[in-house]
Amino acid sequence: MAKGKLAYSCTACGNESNSWLGRCPICDAWGSLVEIEKHSGAQTLKDKSSVQSYKFSEILGSAEAPDRILFGMPETERVLGGGVVKGSTTLLVGEPGIGKSTLLLHLADGLSDRNDGRIYYIAGEESPDQIGIRGKRIGIEGKRLEIFPETDVDSILFELNQHEQSIVIIDSIQTLVDPGLDSVAGSVAQIRACASKLITWSKISQVPLFMSGHLTKEGSVAGPKVLEHSVDVVLQLDGNASGSFRSLHGLKNRFGSTNEMAVLEMRENGLVEVLDPSSDLISERPEGVPGSVVVPIIEGTRPLLVEVQSLVSQTGNSFEPRRTANGIELNRLVLISAVLSKQSSVDIIGKDIIVNVVGGIRVSEPAADLGIALAIASSALDKEFPASTAAVGELGLTGEIRKSIYIERRITELARLGFQRVIVPKSFVPSDSLNEIDINLIKVNNIEDAIKKF
Ligand code: TYD
Ligand code: MG
């Protein structure tokens, strides 16, 4: 083997190293480095550049918002920044079975209704028959949609160059192979090589490219995340596969904000956009039982009401009571439990604590701390948290409740859906316009104060 021919790449984070290491120094994953072929730097050296430079003032003068292609799913379009940009490359990641193929088929159908060109769907995972059955189930016509069951990236590019397309969808990037490489489909080297060829083709032809990629259950990301740097947009479809709600987030967007989120619901007839997610997400709240608190979170620019549930029970393992978190970080739960245990009168010593955010929504905002703590307290005390009350605020280590951003927007959303009381940090001062809204603010200093007041 010629010197410098081999390198090693971490399957978890994509970091490259010249020698094999047992543990990736970047992401700390063990045994994740695999052999890849190293590109020779010399190939890119040119004796003269064919690229010109541009005066920034001239670029500014001619800069216009990019052309967007719409596909009739306004919520998804919003996450993309207002539709699909010509020549853009998008990676859609999510766990297997979460609904990526279904979403891409809806997208293909929407585009096919609104555009003249052909929509090309490269099917590496399912046969055309299977896709047909799914299409029938979700009621799509796909007039301009063509399914191409091929996994060899060179054959795909050959085919793409034969005709004009208006969009190309790859489902999934892990199934494609570059015949020039020895490694198996799905390996980091294959994913990189195939994606790189397709992305170059997309940039030259200005045809938008969508690629799906599976993430592993543990969230320790296998292949597709190595592409994050190469694509323009990364979307993640999230949720609890056994529940019906899915959230679609932008993780990266060169043409828009990454804060936007859409809520979709998996039904019998495919994925349907949820237009009033707050109302849907809290619609099945149990009444008169302890352990449930509604929390107003902010997703991008929009407030969203979510129900946080908790169950506190005597542990079967007295050495180490369990903490189980669905929809929030486990570390966050451990921290909130520790604050409750130390700074309030709620007795959770020797208790297992489970927290779940209903609907498969993930909550990462500290503004949800108070609501989570109150859900735990409500269950531990076996005392119902009133259904018409909500809570917002950040929890400090000494048990103090701190102000969060956008409290007014959150309260307005609560009022819209008929909430009568909301527990807020004492330091929060409502503006005049908020004073006109018919909702009672219950101001609290610390967690014990909040527990006493519900
Ligand atoms: P799929 O799009 O195949 O997921 P992915 O491509 O991310 O692996 O979705 C698979 C699941 O979605 C499957 O378990 C069944 C469910 N589903 C519905 O509930 N309704 C539908 O209309 C469709 C097409 C799928
Ligand atoms: Mg799929």
Side-chain angles (χ1 to χ4, degrees):
M1 191 67 63
K3 192 165 173 277
K5 188 91 193 289
L6 282 180
Y8 299 85
S9 171
C10 172
T11 51
C13 72
N15 167 48
E16 279 184 21
S17 157
N18 282 330
S19 54
W20 190 85
L21 301 165
R23 183 181 202 173
C24 172
I26 302 297
C27 72
D28 289 341
W30 285 98
S32 61
L33 266 67
V34 294
E35 225 172 77
I36 57 166
E37 269 178 60
K38 194 173 177 178
H39 302 291
S40 160
Q43 280 173 355
T44 56
L45 275 182
K46 296 176 186 169
D47 26 1
K48 80 176 186 236
S49 170
S50 55
V51 181
Q52 68 173 105
S53 64
Y54 297 86
K55 278 212 165 64
F56 188 68
S57 52
E58 283 169 18
I59 306 176
L60 261 190
S62 59
E64 280 173 28
D67 271 353
R68 304 266 185 180
I69 312 169
L70 300 181
F71 46 93
M73 296 177 77
E75 292 290 293
T76 308
E77 287 164 2
R78 187 170 48 78
V79 176
L80 280 166
V84 183
V85 173
K86 291 225 168 85
S88 69
T89 50
T90 304
L91 175 68
L92 172 65
V93 296
E95 285 170 15
I98 202 74
K100 297 180 296 297
S101 303
T102 309
L103 182 60
L104 290 175
L105 210 50
H106 283 297
L107 179 100
D109 187 43
L111 285 163
S112 145
D113 279 349
R114 286 166 187 78
N115 289 280
D116 298 333
R118 300 189 325 158
I119 320 286
Y120 228 61
Y121 190 108
I122 317 287
E125 305 217 327
E126 288 142 322
S127 68
D129 281 350
Q130 286 170 316
I131 297 171
I133 294 168
R134 170 180 296 155
K136 199 166 194 172
R137 178 134 80 99
I138 66 180
I140 71 163
E141 257 185 86
K143 276 175 265 160
R144 299 196 173 79
L145 178 59
E146 282 184 43
I147 310 289
F148 189 45
E150 175 63 86
T151 54
D152 178 326
V153 71
D154 290 339
S155 309
I156 292 169
L157 287 168
F158 179 80
E159 176 71 16
L160 293 181
N161 285 326
Q162 303 300 303
H163 313 273
E164 283 207 351
Q165 291 81 19
S166 64
I167 191 152
V168 173
I169 294 170
I170 312 280
D171 191 19
S172 68
I173 188 66
Q174 272 126 323
T175 54
L176 300 198
V177 281
D178 182 336
L181 295 181
D182 291 337
S183 42
V184 292
S187 65
V188 173
Q190 283 288 5
I191 290 177
R192 277 223 175 110
C194 295
S196 155
K197 285 186 174 179
L198 288 160
I199 291 168
T200 308
W201 173 84
S202 156
K203 294 291 170 206
I204 293 172
S205 60
Q206 283 293 294
V207 174
L209 175 70
F210 274 80
M211 300 181 279
S212 73
H214 296 301
L215 294 185
T216 56
K217 193 92 190 161
E218 307 79 48
S220 86
V221 268
K225 282 241 172 140
V226 300
L227 297 179
E228 227 168 284
H229 313 289
S230 328
V231 295
D232 299 312
V233 182
V234 181
L235 303 180
Q236 182 158 349
L237 192 60
D238 238 332
N240 184 346
S242 56
S244 64
F245 288 109
R246 305 281 184 270
S247 62
L248 184 71
H249 273 276
L251 298 184
K252 166 180 177 178
N253 194 344
R254 285 187 179 147
F255 312 108
S257 150
T258 47
N259 288 324
E260 300 294 344
M261 185 194 81
V263 177
L264 302 139
E265 190 181 356
M266 184 62 95
R267 301 209 188 131
E268 258 307 289
N269 56 345
L271 276 169
V272 182
E273 294 192 330
V274 179
L275 298 178
D276 187 357
S278 289
S279 151
D280 276 39
L281 286 170
I282 59 169
S283 64
E284 286 175 272
R285 256 183 318 157
E287 285 204 13
V289 289
S292 159
V293 174
V294 168
V295 176
I297 59 169
I298 297 277
E299 283 293 343
T301 49
R302 300 195 317 174
L304 184 67
L305 303 189
V306 295
E307 181 195 348
V308 176
Q309 292 190 343
S310 178
L311 188 64
V312 178
S313 60
Q314 198 62 45
T315 184
N317 173 1
S318 52
F319 298 109
E320 206 185 349
R322 289 221 287 186
R323 304 282 180 257
T324 309
N326 293 313
I328 65 166
E329 287 273 321
L330 184 60
N331 281 342
R332 193 111 221 132
L333 172 57
V334 171
L335 188 141
I336 293 171
S337 308
V339 173
L340 266 177
S341 171
K342 181 89 181 162
Q343 316 290 6
S344 83
S345 56
V346 178
D347 179 19
I348 50 171
I349 294 171
K351 305 274 173 68
D352 288 339
I353 301 178
I354 306 171
V355 166
N356 181 33
V357 181
V358 176
I361 302 293
R362 271 185 225 285
V363 176
S364 53
E365 270 195 299
D369 287 355
L370 177 60
I372 297 167
L374 291 174
I376 297 171
S378 162
S379 176
L381 297 169
D382 208 21
K383 179 182 167 198
E384 178 200 354
F385 189 87
S388 59
T389 305
V392 60
E394 209 174 313
L395 192 60
L397 289 185
T398 66
E400 83 276 17
I401 309 297
R402 304 207 186 163
K403 239 179 2 197
S404 319
I405 51 167
Y406 307 129
I407 293 198
E408 303 223 343
R409 234 184 262 179
R410 302 172 201 259
I411 296 175
T412 312
E413 179 77 347
L414 286 166
R416 182 178 77 84
L417 286 157
F419 281 76
Q420 287 156 12
R421 306 193 317 156
V422 51
I423 304 182
V424 295
K426 192 155 204 165
S427 55
F428 169 64
V429 184
S431 69
D432 290 347
S433 59
L434 194 69
N435 280 328
E436 283 166 24
I437 291 179
D438 187 22
I439 193 164
N440 282 328
L441 302 184
I442 302 164
K443 295 191 169 186
V444 295
N445 247 335
N446 55 48
I447 183 66
E448 183 64 15
D449 200 11
I451 291 167
K452 286 204 185 101
K453 284 187 177 156
F454 78 78

